[in-house]
Amino acid sequence: MNTRTAPMILDERRDDDGCTLQLVVPMDLDYFPGHFPQAPVLPGAAQVAWALQLAASHLGTSPQCREMEALKFQRLLRPGDRATLTLRHDRVRGKLHFAYREGEVTYSSGRLVLEPRV
């Protein structure tokens, strides 16, 4: 059984309150067989989950989201696509800003209100 649910990380750059990750959407993700088998796309829920998980592991933020703000899914992410994921943690407001882009193309973006870390 295929158990792949995470992106492949090619590169990482850090700054004061965030990081930028170069990703590849694997061809064999568990999400694809049930999410439009004839034309697989990465579900928006998976994109949000990746942002939360990657921010938690790279920035030390909470992996739990209390509220989603300003979510925009503008272009489909498909198997084999490359994307740059930008994560910025607004500590004062307890928010995580994320955006998946490649060059001039924006795939998705949003703000997530994080649960406090326990």
Side-chain angles (χ1 to χ4, degrees):
M1 175 158 151
N2 181 3
T3 59
R4 188 160 182 105
T5 59
M8 294 183 336
I9 300 173
L10 302 177
D11 191 34
E12 173 188 350
R13 286 178 279 136
R14 299 281 313 257
D15 59 33
D16 292 336
D17 61 352
C19 68
T20 302
L21 304 168
Q22 301 294 322
L23 308 175
V24 174
V25 178
M27 301 292 287
D28 61 347
L29 286 177
D30 283 351
Y31 305 115
F32 294 144
H35 205 260
F36 310 113
Q38 302 306 318
V41 298
L42 184 65
Q47 294 175 50
V48 171
W50 284 3
L52 285 166
Q53 292 165 359
L54 292 168
S57 65
H58 289 82
L59 303 176
T61 59
S62 171
Q64 302 298 317
C65 176
R66 181 170 24 120
E67 183 180 340
M68 296 184 222
E69 299 178 339
L71 286 181
K72 293 181 184 178
F73 297 97
Q74 299 166 281
R75 193 164 195 157
L76 299 175
L77 269 169
R78 299 183 182 273
D81 281 349
R82 291 178 178 258
T84 300
L85 173 58
T86 304
L87 300 167
R88 187 175 63 79
H89 183 211
D90 181 343
R91 286 177 177 78
V92 173
R93 292 178 181 85
K95 296 182 182 183
L96 175 66
H97 299 254
F98 75 91
Y100 291 87
R101 295 186 178 97
E102 186 60 26
E104 299 296 314
V105 173
T106 299
Y107 291 107
S108 62
S109 62
R111 286 187 311 271
L112 308 174
V113 180
L114 301 174
E115 287 287 347
R117 266 193 100 86
V118 290

